[in-house]
Amino acid sequence: MIQKITFFITKCLIFFGAFFAFEPHVYAQEAIAPQTLSGLDKICAGNNFNEYFATFSYVNFPAGTTFVIELLDGASTPIATTLTEVIPLGVGQQTIKFAVPNNLVGANDYGLRVKSSTGYTSTRFKTPAGDSFFPAFFKDYEASFYINDRSDSATICVGGTLTLSVSDLTPEIPGSSPVHFPNVKYKWYKDDVVIAGQSAKTLVVSTTGKYHAEMDYGQCSDVNYGSNRVNVTSSSTGSPVTIDSSLGNPFCSNGSGTVLTATAGNSYVWKKDGVVITGATSRSYATNESGLYTVDVDFGGCSSTGTINLVGSGFNASIDAADSTEIGEGETLSVTVTTDAVNPTFEWYKNGNLIDGATTDTYLVSTIGNYRVKVSQTSGCVASMEFEFKVTGPVEPTFLIPNIVRLNGNYPYWNIPDAYKNADTTVIIISSNGDKVLDVTNYQGDWPQTAIDFKNINPVYYYVIQGDAGEKKGSITVIK
């Protein structure tokens, strides 16, 4: 008996020992261990090269778990990469080949991490130098380029300025100039010394010297991909360029707009927001658009640039009606215009006709139709704007086609069931004289649109409806 009990206790101890031995594996947590990025201390991707490798180990993930590499910006916001290949290295270890996005905005504080399909994310990878942050850029453009329309010389007037611009010599060819890529930044140099704070595609210069530009890809920059060098010299002829606006600045942006006039010179090149305006090569330029306008004036061996930040003025207005509103029999719709216009006037139209007496900011709609309201500012900057809206009636519940139109009712139109209002159905209306007064598809229940000629009797018209729902014929009597 003692032998049996001893044997039973021994089996229990073995069972519980095995249970507790395996219990930690039941509750083991997922873990990912990124390895040091081999030979990678920065990401300098481009159209010619965009593939990188990241190796890591992992444990305690369910079967079928997949992994991806994520970029992290300076604020630790994740940015997806493109997985191009998974390279297994053995149990619990793999290398992922990936590509970075081609719209990546370059910076010096990116990082990498692993994310599993279960939602687990790792710590950041480290470079061989032990850094968790490193530069990452996508170089949209990797070639030499031109400034100053490829010319290596320019003359600046005493007391004036000159704008050097990155050139777009073949705008019809996509990607032929760095100006085609909005993410590209530049470094400008004068006499081989970088000019602080200048990263745009244009540079305004006021002193002589040798200027050139390079694309700024941070630590991924390549000095071999720079511009031509422009020697800017000075001339005593000419004068600083000014630009006058005929309507002042701010200006009233209505009609043909304001006329910009530059200081007199030999030739002119106008630009808006840094982009050359095609065909604008005279002393004056008319516009009704706000923006930063510049003009390069050649005085004959001496060039100078004038600038004006043109601001338009006007008024604001809004309407509280939807594009389309349905009203029922006997219902009305109140529509109001809100505006900050000075001394505003209001004109309301129905089906293109001016509504007599409707001259306030509110109109009460009682019949269906296409409406329009015109708001005008009559003092200061005289301008106007218009709003359109549509008012419809209830949907016909049956296929019954009405044979009477009452012009003095809430619905002074011939409204037919929706089954006949589509692009596959033709609606024809013929007068008693045999004249075809309507021939349309996708009829919207809005006839008549013009005045009906009443004589001694109520006029009678005849309709033909042809479509998928069959052909229907009948008469329509129009009553005042």
Side-chain angles (χ1 to χ4, degrees), residues 164-188:
L164 298 177
S165 303
V166 176
S167 303
D168 187 8
L169 302 177
T170 53
E172 71 280 2
I173 303 177
S176 60
S177 168
V179 299
H180 294 180
F181 304 97
N183 285 340
V184 172
K185 295 182 179 180
Y186 303 87
K187 289 189 291 186
W188 288 89

Side-chain angles (χ1 to χ4, degrees), residues 54 136 139 177 198 352 372:
K139 299 190 283 186
S177 168
Q198 300 298 322
R372 172 170 57 92

Side-chain angles (χ1 to χ4, degrees), residues 236-302:
S236 58
T237 60
S239 62
V241 174
T242 60
I243 302 175
D244 295 322
S245 169
S246 63
L247 298 181
N249 190 26
F251 76 107
C252 182
S253 53
N254 65 351
S256 59
T258 188
V259 177
L260 303 179
T261 303
T263 302
N266 293 340
S267 62
Y268 310 84
V269 177
W270 288 89
K271 301 176 184 178
K272 179 178 181 289
D273 298 326
V275 179
V276 173
I277 303 172
T278 303
T281 56
S282 62
R283 183 182 176 188
S284 297
Y285 177 72
T287 181
N288 57 10
E289 297 182 359
S290 301
L292 182 65
Y293 289 85
T294 61
V295 59
D296 298 332
V297 181
D298 187 342
F299 294 100
C302 171

Side-chain angles (χ1 to χ4, degrees), residues 88-375:
L89 301 178
V91 178
Q93 190 178 43
Q94 65 179 239
T95 295
I96 288 181
K97 184 167 74 170
F98 64 95
V100 300
N102 59 10
N103 62 347
L104 182 69
V105 178
N108 293 318
D109 54 359
Y110 277 98
L112 290 174
R113 74 179 182 188
V114 185
K115 183 177 181 180
S116 72
S117 56
T118 64
Y120 183 89
T121 56
S122 74
T123 57
R124 290 177 178 239
F125 284 85
K126 290 188 176 182
T127 67
D131 298 322
S132 300
F133 297 85
F134 50 84
F137 289 81
F138 187 91
K139 299 190 283 186
D140 299 283
Y141 188 90
E142 295 182 87
S144 299
F145 58 98
Y146 292 101
I147 62 174
N148 197 39
D149 291 332
R150 207 170 182 172
S151 174
D152 293 334
S153 63
T155 304
I156 189 172
C157 302
V158 174
T161 60
L162 173 71
T163 300
L164 298 177
S165 303
V166 176
S167 303
D168 187 8
L169 302 177
T170 53
E172 71 280 2
I173 303 177
S176 60
S177 168
V179 299
H180 294 180
F181 304 97
N183 285 340
V184 172
K185 295 182 179 180
Y186 303 87
K187 289 189 291 186
W188 288 89
Y189 293 82
K190 177 192 173 187
D191 299 328
D192 292 324
V193 177
V194 68
I195 304 172
Q198 300 298 322
S199 60
K201 60 185 178 182
T202 60
L203 175 71
V204 177
V205 300
S206 57
T207 58
T208 61
K210 288 190 175 181
Y211 293 85
H212 75 279
E214 295 175 0
M215 284 171 291
D216 186 2
Y217 292 125
Q219 295 184 35
C220 296
S221 299
D222 189 336
V223 295
N224 294 314
Y225 297 147
S227 74
N228 57 311
R229 294 172 181 258
V230 178
N231 185 26
V232 177
T233 58
S234 176
S235 172
S236 58
T237 60
S239 62
V241 174
T242 60
I243 302 175
D244 295 322
S245 169
S246 63
L247 298 181
N249 190 26
F251 76 107
C252 182
S253 53
N254 65 351
S256 59
T258 188
V259 177
L260 303 179
T261 303
T263 302
N266 293 340
S267 62
Y268 310 84
V269 177
W270 288 89
K271 301 176 184 178
K272 179 178 181 289
D273 298 326
V275 179
V276 173
I277 303 172
T278 303
T281 56
S282 62
R283 183 182 176 188
S284 297
Y285 177 72
T287 181
N288 57 10
E289 297 182 359
S290 301
L292 182 65
Y293 289 85
T294 61
V295 59
D296 298 332
V297 181
D298 187 342
F299 294 100
C302 171
S303 299
S304 188
T305 301
T307 302
I308 184 172
N309 187 16
L310 192 63
V311 179
S313 64
F315 69 94
N316 300 305
S318 62
I319 192 171
D320 63 357
D323 291 340
S324 181
T325 304
E326 179 183 311
I327 61 174
E329 183 74 29
E331 293 182 342
T332 58
L333 174 68
S334 179
V335 181
T336 300
V337 175
T338 302
T339 181
D340 60 4
V342 179
N343 296 328
T345 61
F346 304 88
E347 297 176 1
W348 296 83
Y349 296 81
K350 176 186 176 184
N351 298 328
N353 300 312
L354 181 66
I355 303 173
D356 292 336
T359 58
T360 65
D361 61 351
T362 300
Y363 181 72
L364 190 65
V365 178
S366 59
T367 58
I368 65 173
N370 297 311
Y371 289 84
R372 172 170 57 92
V373 57
K374 180 179 179 181
V375 189

